[in-house]
Amino acid sequence: MHELSMAQGIINAVLETAENNNATEVTEIYIEVGRLAMLNPEQLRFLLDVLVENTIAENAKIDISEIPVTINCPECGYEGVANLDDSDHYAPIIECPNCENLRISILNGKDCVVKNIVIEKPDEE
Ligand SMILES: [Zn+2]
């Protein structure tokens, strides 16, 4: 399942970052999911909740935000947020809002990234 491998990758990255920073606990995790990442945010959240069990991120607040698809249109030079029809989840239609061209290049919105994490460090006093 696509969501599972993504969720596993996210948690691995979070725990690795936390370990590199000598964290005792991860309290918040901020994730950005592109509209074209083909991820169901609810399913992703469910999997993340399962995967953090018995790790230092067990009680972390997980924040998932969807980010829009941005494109570059070779026809009219438009660069920005695309018109997106993703009613068909697996074959979304992406269009230039300016000239309705479909042959655009996608700049952003395909990835799922860990934007930020908040950690607790051991008391040094
Ligand atoms: Zn255009």
Side-chain angles (χ1 to χ4, degrees), residues 34-113:
R35 289 285 299 275
L36 289 181
M38 303 296 177
L39 286 171
N40 177 330
E42 288 311 307
Q43 204 171 7
L44 183 65
R45 177 182 299 278
F46 171 79
L47 289 165
L48 291 172
D49 279 340
V50 172
L51 289 170
V52 293
E53 272 175 36
N54 302 315
T55 73
I56 56 168
E58 191 165 37
N59 298 312
K61 184 189 98 160
I62 299 172
D63 184 277
I64 299 175
S65 51
E66 276 196 293
I67 56 169
V69 177
T70 51
I71 57 152
N72 178 294
C73 175
E75 286 295 322
C76 69
Y78 172 85
E79 203 171 290
V81 177
N83 272 356
L84 178 69
D85 176 0
D86 60 358
S87 45
D88 180 350
H89 191 63
Y90 290 97
I93 297 164
I94 309 148
E95 183 181 85
C96 172
N98 201 28
C99 69
E100 297 178 2
N101 177 27
L102 293 171
R103 296 172 61 180
I104 41 81
S105 22
I106 295 163
L107 299 175
N108 202 357
K110 281 197 285 195
D111 302 317
C112 172
V113 294

